[in-house]
Amino acid sequence: IVRDPFVVFPSTMNLWRRLYRLQGLQEPKFERLEEDVLDTYLHLFERIDGGRALVAASHFFEVRYEDLIADPLGRLRAMYRHLVLGDFDRVAPRVEGYLKDARDYKTNRYQLRSEERATIAERWKPVIERYGYAVGVN
């Protein structure tokens, strides 16, 4: 699952801050946090790309989060077909039940400062372009 980098960045910053506060053995200073998040994200995609050659194309399926949310049954059906996971119609009722239960779920909303947005656009440009994400203001 690939998600809009302009959403991933503030969400990851929030996650790491919370984890450091809750799980750390000392008071976190977050001195390199932004840089670590920027580097780790690119490293993740480098590793995924490096691993693609090791996996048959029929065993690898990518989906944009936004597309999954817009059409969960359609995207999951496509995934089942691509990965040859069996008859999606057998699991569709359970997926529909889950979607019904989760219909009121709302994702967190974060605001980016213009300088953060510019940094993300510059540093994560290959991912932004590759998956067709907009650089415009959120």
Side-chain angles (χ1 to χ4, degrees):
I1 296 177
V2 180
R3 193 164 188 191
D4 184 340
F6 297 100
V7 173
V8 168
F9 179 80
S11 177
T12 303
M13 292 287 289
N14 181 58
L15 171 67
W16 286 13
R17 281 187 187 112
R18 292 182 67 178
L19 286 175
Y20 289 159
R21 285 187 188 110
L22 293 171
Q23 305 294 322
L25 298 176
Q26 66 270 341
E27 187 66 31
K29 295 187 176 31
F30 307 118
E31 293 164 345
R32 279 196 38 86
L33 181 59
E34 184 173 310
E35 192 63 30
D36 288 345
V37 169
L38 290 165
D39 287 345
T40 300
Y41 186 78
L42 289 179
H43 182 70
L44 169 73
F45 280 93
E46 289 168 5
R47 299 296 296 183
I48 289 171
D49 288 343
R52 279 180 204 259
L54 305 174
V55 178
S58 62
H59 293 172
F60 190 86
F61 185 82
E62 283 184 308
V63 61
R64 285 174 25 130
Y65 173 83
E66 298 79 12
D67 297 336
L68 180 63
I69 295 304
D71 181 17
L73 291 173
R75 294 286 63 214
L76 288 173
R77 184 176 301 282
M79 180 187 72
Y80 262 68
R81 187 173 36 253
H82 180 86
L83 298 175
V84 191
L85 296 176
D87 183 10
F88 181 72
D89 290 333
R90 291 183 60 208
V91 297
R94 291 180 66 192
V95 173
E96 290 169 338
Y98 170 80
L99 293 171
K100 182 179 176 186
D101 290 345
R103 70 182 168 269
D104 294 329
Y105 176 77
K106 302 279 188 248
T107 60
N108 291 329
R109 302 250 183 226
Y110 301 99
Q111 293 297 315
L112 288 171
R113 297 185 320 270
S114 59
E115 57 272 10
E116 289 174 317
R117 194 161 195 71
T119 299
I120 294 164
E122 177 186 329
R123 296 281 296 275
W124 293 356
K125 182 178 180 178
V127 175
I128 292 166
E129 289 179 348
R130 176 178 177 173
Y131 294 100
Y133 287 106
V135 178
V137 176
N138 63 343

